[in-house]
Amino acid sequence: EAGVAQSPRYKIIEKRQSVAFWCNPISGHATLYWYQQILGQGPKLLIQFQNNGVVDDSQLPKDRFSAERLKGVDSTLKIQPAKLEDSAVYLCASSLGQLARNEQFFGPGTRLTVL
Amino acid sequence: QQQVKQSPQSLIVQKGGISIINCAYENTAFDYFPWYQQFPGKGPALLIAIRPDVSEKKEGRFTISFNKSAKQFSLHIMDSQPGDSATYFCAATLGNTNAGKSTFGDGTTLTVKP
């Protein structure tokens, strides 16, 4: 079974530029998550989708971050404009459903460096 | 708001020793407690998880101990091996009415010396 795919793996941008990350979840997984993992910290949930609807985006900085999951499969996370403090690894995860005990499978992440 | 506190930040153990990582939570609405293992350049992977109505769960060399009244849980790695060297995260997950949202601790970097 193929895992969660993410691209690009690495991205370096200047502050105030925009950037987009792509995620392809495991086939058949209805729930998709985007996490931000700052160096030395645990993953922090940014947004959670159930199929193509948003379940939770309470920690998404909506003035600069946006995400979409068209057709309930692939998802894109965008940052515009980027700030220095956005430097982090952005992890995508998916699960069969949003039950607490549904295992979340993580992709390898995209490491973003904002200069 | 730090809802899940994890300690220690780093841990060095000799091969064959026992590694113990502790976590404490505040929100009694948490309903599931998974532990994740993360290697450099990889995403976290589920290691073992426990429900709050169980005090202990063992899978191979990995054991979770859970104390509901103290709102604490811990991961024990028996007979630690160099291949166990990784970062470990505890997490606490809300119940199904809250869409199973997870909050992670800040991680423990484990080094097992041969």
Side-chain angles (χ1 to χ4, degrees), chain A residues 4-49:
Chain A
V4 176
Q6 290 188 248
S7 68
R9 290 297 311 277
Y10 306 92
K11 191 73 177 178
I12 300 174
I13 62 172
E14 300 280 336
K15 62 182 179 183
R16 290 187 290 273
Q17 286 186 325
S18 62
V19 64
F21 313 126
W22 173 82
C23 173
N24 181 234
I26 292 172
S27 178
H29 281 195
T31 309
L32 185 146
Y33 314 79
W34 282 103
Y35 289 90
Q36 180 192 57
Q37 186 175 21
I38 293 172
L39 186 65
Q41 297 182 18
K44 183 183 83 172
L45 181 68
L46 293 175
I47 189 167
Q48 178 177 338
F49 291 95

Side-chain angles (χ1 to χ4, degrees), chain B residues 1-62:
Chain B
Q1 183 181 4
Q2 182 71 28
Q3 292 193 61
V4 179
K5 294 183 180 180
Q6 184 171 346
S7 64
Q9 191 172 28
S10 62
L11 182 61
I12 299 174
V13 172
Q14 289 295 127
K15 178 182 175 182
I18 301 173
S19 304
I20 302 174
I21 304 170
N22 301 298
C23 282
Y25 63 97
E26 300 165 4
N27 190 346
T28 55
F30 287 131
D31 191 46
Y32 196 58
F33 300 87
W35 284 88
Y36 291 85
Q37 181 187 56
Q38 185 176 30
F39 293 103
K42 306 288 186 182
L46 180 66
L47 188 62
I48 186 172
I50 196 167
R51 305 188 320 260
D53 56 345
V54 176
S55 61
E56 185 175 283
K57 182 175 181 180
K58 182 176 181 179
E59 289 185 359
R61 296 185 294 110
F62 301 90

Side-chain angles (χ1 to χ4, degrees), chain A residues 9 33 35 37 40-45 48 55-56 58-59 91 98-109 111, chain B residues 9 31-32 36 38 41-46 51-52 89 93-96 98-107:
Chain A
R9 290 297 311 277
Y33 314 79
Y35 289 90
Q37 186 175 21
Q41 297 182 18
K44 183 183 83 172
L45 181 68
Q48 178 177 338
V55 174
D56 187 318
S58 58
Q59 298 191 93
L91 294 164
Q98 58 186 18
L99 296 179
R101 292 152 202 194
N102 285 145
E103 181 178 351
Q104 293 187 31
F105 294 84
F106 285 81
R111 181 176 296 277
Chain B
Q9 191 172 28
D31 191 46
Y32 196 58
Y36 291 85
Q38 185 176 30
K42 306 288 186 182
L46 180 66
R51 305 188 320 260
F89 294 95
T93 303
L94 291 172
N96 299 335
N98 289 287
K101 179 180 175 180
S102 293
T103 300
F104 286 75
D106 281 340

Side-chain angles (χ1 to χ4, degrees), chain A residues 29-100:
Chain A
H29 281 195
T31 309
L32 185 146
Y33 314 79
W34 282 103
Y35 289 90
Q36 180 192 57
Q37 186 175 21
I38 293 172
L39 186 65
Q41 297 182 18
K44 183 183 83 172
L45 181 68
L46 293 175
I47 189 167
Q48 178 177 338
F49 291 95
Q50 179 69 12
N51 296 309
N52 61 349
V54 175
V55 174
D56 187 318
D57 63 356
S58 58
Q59 298 191 93
L60 186 74
K62 298 180 187 63
D63 57 334
R64 297 184 301 106
F65 286 64
S66 65
E68 60 182 9
R69 190 183 184 197
L70 299 176
K71 301 180 182 179
V73 181
D74 292 6
S75 178
T76 304
L77 176 69
K78 296 180 181 177
I79 307 175
Q80 181 179 8
K83 292 185 175 181
L84 296 177
E85 58 261 37
D86 297 332
S87 293
V89 174
Y90 291 84
L91 294 164
C92 178
S94 69
S95 63
L96 278 172
Q98 58 186 18
L99 296 179

